[in-house]
Amino acid sequence: MTPPPGYLVRTSGLRSRAGHADGDAETMLRQRNTLRDEFLFEGNPLGHDQYGAELAKRLPQIRDGIMDAFDACVTEAEGIRDRLGENAWTYDTAEHGISRTTGG
């Protein structure tokens, strides 16, 4: 049987991928928190010589840049999750008349 012309959207696939994106966001957030805790635990990893002193000056900026990058990745994964869910809802509404408030 030939599918009808136009778009064929499997909203279950969109929802499944939204769940994957949500899982990715949670994983990255856990990894970020683990790394943050490691920064706090280790302090200045190069000690108190001239190299350690130089790193101590730059470490907050380096650490903050790494944490900001993780946060940006988490935000992007959450955005992907939200947009995929919204797309699934939009297609369901168009195809089946499903309403968020009434369920149908």
Side-chain angles (χ1 to χ4, degrees):
M1 178 175 176
T2 304
Y7 288 100
L8 174 62
V9 176
R10 292 192 173 95
T11 56
S12 62
L14 290 172
R15 285 189 188 86
S16 173
R17 285 166 180 79
H20 289 283
D22 190 50
D24 291 344
E26 290 175 9
T27 297
M28 286 185 280
L29 191 56
R30 280 193 310 274
Q31 291 172 338
R32 175 185 119 16
N33 291 341
T34 297
L35 184 58
R36 181 201 60 219
D37 293 346
E38 208 49 45
F39 271 118
L40 293 172
F41 177 76
E42 288 295 328
N44 184 354
L46 291 180
H48 301 288
D49 60 7
Q50 67 185 22
Y51 300 109
E54 185 61 30
L55 179 61
K57 290 182 212 172
R58 297 179 50 220
L59 189 58
Q61 181 181 1
I62 293 169
R63 180 195 60 231
D64 292 347
I66 293 169
M67 295 298 116
D68 289 348
F70 265 102
D71 289 341
C73 289
V74 169
T75 298
E76 185 62 27
E78 290 171 339
I80 291 169
R81 173 204 61 207
D82 295 346
R83 290 186 301 272
L84 286 171
E86 185 68 26
N87 275 301
W89 178 83
T90 299
Y91 281 111
D92 277 341
T93 300
E95 291 294 318
H96 308 291
I98 295 172
S99 167
R100 286 185 181 175
T101 57
T102 64

